[in-house]
Amino acid sequence: MLNATVQQALNDQIQKEFHSAYIYLSMSAYFEAENLTGAASWMRKQAGEEQEHALKIFDFILDRGGHVALQAISQPAAEYASPLAVFEDAYAHERKVTQSIHDLYALALRENDYPTQVMLQWFIDEQVEEEKTSSAIMAQLKMVGDSPAALLMIDRQLAARAGG
């Protein structure tokens, strides 16, 4: 059975994961409007992954006999200055999520909640990949600067990554 403190923190994390999905969907809409459909598909796929993350925690709470309490999700930004700015925001957001997962793991340690620690290890590993990927794309966008041809090449690579 989950203790109340861990349960509340896990419910908070569900909200953060669903908010991440909203952020990525908003980024996808930006890229669609800019006719960068590869980046739009990549962001949409990211949104789906964030929903899966939320549901993983959702199911974990229920499996432990806890109570899921869904929270409101705030509206994400809708406008971005450039494709680079989008990926800078995505990278910064992933770093915040990483810190949130680390804080949650530290709480599970303090509370001697071993099942939550084991479950969170998957998220810790996932965040290493998320930060690496968004950082790499951000670095590529910085390298190409304002080159439309290079931006289109990156967009094509993002489409391939997204499976589209």
Side-chain angles (χ1 to χ4, degrees), residues 38 151-161 164:
L151 180 58
L152 290 174
M153 287 177 57
I154 291 172
D155 188 60
R156 186 169 294 165
Q157 289 175 340
L158 292 173
R161 256 192 193 151

PDB file of all heavy atoms in Angstrom, residues 38 151-161 164:
ATOM      1  N   GLY A  38       7.832  16.940 -40.530  1.00  0.00           N
ATOM      2  CA  GLY A  38       8.642  15.930 -39.855  1.00  0.00           C
ATOM      3  C   GLY A  38       8.782  16.249 -38.381  1.00  0.00           C
ATOM      4  O   GLY A  38       8.599  15.377 -37.523  1.00  0.00           O
ATOM      5  N   LEU A 151      17.608  23.045 -42.593  1.00  0.00           N
ATOM      6  CA  LEU A 151      16.438  22.867 -41.741  1.00  0.00           C
ATOM      7  C   LEU A 151      15.512  21.802 -42.333  1.00  0.00           C
ATOM      8  O   LEU A 151      14.988  20.953 -41.604  1.00  0.00           O
ATOM      9  CB  LEU A 151      15.691  24.192 -41.568  1.00  0.00           C
ATOM     10  CG  LEU A 151      14.444  24.153 -40.690  1.00  0.00           C
ATOM     11  CD1 LEU A 151      14.756  23.650 -39.285  1.00  0.00           C
ATOM     12  CD2 LEU A 151      13.806  25.538 -40.639  1.00  0.00           C
ATOM     13  N   LEU A 152      15.339  21.828 -43.638  1.00  0.00           N
ATOM     14  CA  LEU A 152      14.507  20.811 -44.294  1.00  0.00           C
ATOM     15  C   LEU A 152      15.123  19.420 -44.172  1.00  0.00           C
ATOM     16  O   LEU A 152      14.397  18.429 -44.031  1.00  0.00           O
ATOM     17  CB  LEU A 152      14.250  21.177 -45.752  1.00  0.00           C
ATOM     18  CG  LEU A 152      13.328  22.380 -45.962  1.00  0.00           C
ATOM     19  CD1 LEU A 152      13.257  22.756 -47.438  1.00  0.00           C
ATOM     20  CD2 LEU A 152      11.945  22.115 -45.382  1.00  0.00           C
ATOM     21  N   MET A 153      16.437  19.336 -44.188  1.00  0.00           N
ATOM     22  CA  MET A 153      17.100  18.037 -44.003  1.00  0.00           C
ATOM     23  C   MET A 153      16.859  17.509 -42.584  1.00  0.00           C
ATOM     24  O   MET A 153      16.561  16.322 -42.393  1.00  0.00           O
ATOM     25  CB  MET A 153      18.601  18.147 -44.281  1.00  0.00           C
ATOM     26  CG  MET A 153      18.937  18.296 -45.750  1.00  0.00           C
ATOM     27  SD  MET A 153      20.707  18.510 -46.059  1.00  0.00           S
ATOM     28  CE  MET A 153      21.388  17.058 -45.299  1.00  0.00           C
ATOM     29  N   ILE A 154      16.966  18.384 -41.605  1.00  0.00           N
ATOM     30  CA  ILE A 154      16.697  17.984 -40.222  1.00  0.00           C
ATOM     31  C   ILE A 154      15.239  17.571 -40.080  1.00  0.00           C
ATOM     32  O   ILE A 154      14.920  16.567 -39.435  1.00  0.00           O
ATOM     33  CB  ILE A 154      17.072  19.111 -39.233  1.00  0.00           C
ATOM     34  CG1 ILE A 154      18.591  19.290 -39.203  1.00  0.00           C
ATOM     35  CG2 ILE A 154      16.527  18.813 -37.833  1.00  0.00           C
ATOM     36  CD1 ILE A 154      19.062  20.496 -38.417  1.00  0.00           C
ATOM     37  N   ASP A 155      14.350  18.321 -40.715  1.00  0.00           N
ATOM     38  CA  ASP A 155      12.931  17.979 -40.667  1.00  0.00           C
ATOM     39  C   ASP A 155      12.681  16.590 -41.245  1.00  0.00           C
ATOM     40  O   ASP A 155      11.907  15.809 -40.670  1.00  0.00           O
ATOM     41  CB  ASP A 155      12.110  19.034 -41.434  1.00  0.00           C
ATOM     42  CG  ASP A 155      10.622  18.838 -41.254  1.00  0.00           C
ATOM     43  OD1 ASP A 155      10.154  18.902 -40.097  1.00  0.00           O
ATOM     44  OD2 ASP A 155       9.926  18.615 -42.260  1.00  0.00           O
ATOM     45  N   ARG A 156      13.357  16.264 -42.301  1.00  0.00           N
ATOM     46  CA  ARG A 156      13.220  14.936 -42.919  1.00  0.00           C
ATOM     47  C   ARG A 156      13.746  13.858 -41.964  1.00  0.00           C
ATOM     48  O   ARG A 156      13.160  12.787 -41.836  1.00  0.00           O
ATOM     49  CB  ARG A 156      13.965  14.878 -44.238  1.00  0.00           C
ATOM     50  CG  ARG A 156      13.720  13.578 -44.983  1.00  0.00           C
ATOM     51  CD  ARG A 156      14.234  13.612 -46.374  1.00  0.00           C
ATOM     52  NE  ARG A 156      13.447  14.600 -47.123  1.00  0.00           N
ATOM     53  CZ  ARG A 156      13.792  15.098 -48.289  1.00  0.00           C
ATOM     54  NH1 ARG A 156      14.909  14.715 -48.861  1.00  0.00           N
ATOM     55  NH2 ARG A 156      13.035  15.960 -48.897  1.00  0.00           N
ATOM     56  N   GLN A 157      14.850  14.132 -41.279  1.00  0.00           N
ATOM     57  CA  GLN A 157      15.380  13.176 -40.300  1.00  0.00           C
ATOM     58  C   GLN A 157      14.399  12.981 -39.147  1.00  0.00           C
ATOM     59  O   GLN A 157      14.227  11.849 -38.673  1.00  0.00           O
ATOM     60  CB  GLN A 157      16.729  13.666 -39.729  1.00  0.00           C
ATOM     61  CG  GLN A 157      17.862  13.601 -40.702  1.00  0.00           C
ATOM     62  CD  GLN A 157      19.122  14.216 -40.114  1.00  0.00           C
ATOM     63  OE1 GLN A 157      19.090  14.989 -39.163  1.00  0.00           O
ATOM     64  NE2 GLN A 157      20.269  13.874 -40.713  1.00  0.00           N
ATOM     65  N   LEU A 158      13.779  14.044 -38.700  1.00  0.00           N
ATOM     66  CA  LEU A 158      12.805  13.942 -37.611  1.00  0.00           C
ATOM     67  C   LEU A 158      11.577  13.130 -38.048  1.00  0.00           C
ATOM     68  O   LEU A 158      11.026  12.371 -37.256  1.00  0.00           O
ATOM     69  CB  LEU A 158      12.385  15.327 -37.119  1.00  0.00           C
ATOM     70  CG  LEU A 158      13.502  16.119 -36.409  1.00  0.00           C
ATOM     71  CD1 LEU A 158      13.029  17.541 -36.103  1.00  0.00           C
ATOM     72  CD2 LEU A 158      13.964  15.413 -35.152  1.00  0.00           C
ATOM     73  N   ALA A 159      11.188  13.281 -39.307  1.00  0.00           N
ATOM     74  CA  ALA A 159      10.074  12.484 -39.825  1.00  0.00           C
ATOM     75  C   ALA A 159      10.408  10.989 -39.784  1.00  0.00           C
ATOM     76  O   ALA A 159       9.590  10.164 -39.398  1.00  0.00           O
ATOM     77  CB  ALA A 159       9.725  12.909 -41.245  1.00  0.00           C
ATOM     78  N   ALA A 160      11.639  10.661 -40.161  1.00  0.00           N
ATOM     79  CA  ALA A 160      12.075   9.260 -40.159  1.00  0.00           C
ATOM     80  C   ALA A 160      12.085   8.707 -38.733  1.00  0.00           C
ATOM     81  O   ALA A 160      11.663   7.569 -38.487  1.00  0.00           O
ATOM     82  CB  ALA A 160      13.449   9.129 -40.794  1.00  0.00           C
ATOM     83  N   ARG A 161      12.552   9.505 -37.791  1.00  0.00           N
ATOM     84  CA  ARG A 161      12.572   9.102 -36.367  1.00  0.00           C
ATOM     85  C   ARG A 161      11.156   8.869 -35.840  1.00  0.00           C
ATOM     86  O   ARG A 161      10.940   8.020 -35.001  1.00  0.00           O
ATOM     87  CB  ARG A 161      13.194  10.199 -35.528  1.00  0.00           C
ATOM     88  CG  ARG A 161      14.560   9.908 -35.109  1.00  0.00           C
ATOM     89  CD  ARG A 161      14.937  10.912 -34.055  1.00  0.00           C
ATOM     90  NE  ARG A 161      16.360  10.827 -33.858  1.00  0.00           N
ATOM     91  CZ  ARG A 161      17.119  11.819 -33.481  1.00  0.00           C
ATOM     92  NH1 ARG A 161      16.578  12.996 -33.270  1.00  0.00           N
ATOM     93  NH2 ARG A 161      18.387  11.660 -33.314  1.00  0.00           N
ATOM     94  N   GLY A 164       7.325   8.513 -39.707  1.00  0.00           N
ATOM     95  CA  GLY A 164       6.411   9.054 -40.707  1.00  0.00           C
ATOM     96  C   GLY A 164       7.080   9.485 -41.966  1.00  0.00           C
ATOM     97  O   GLY A 164       8.220   9.458 -42.211  1.00  0.00           O
TER      98      GLY A 164
END
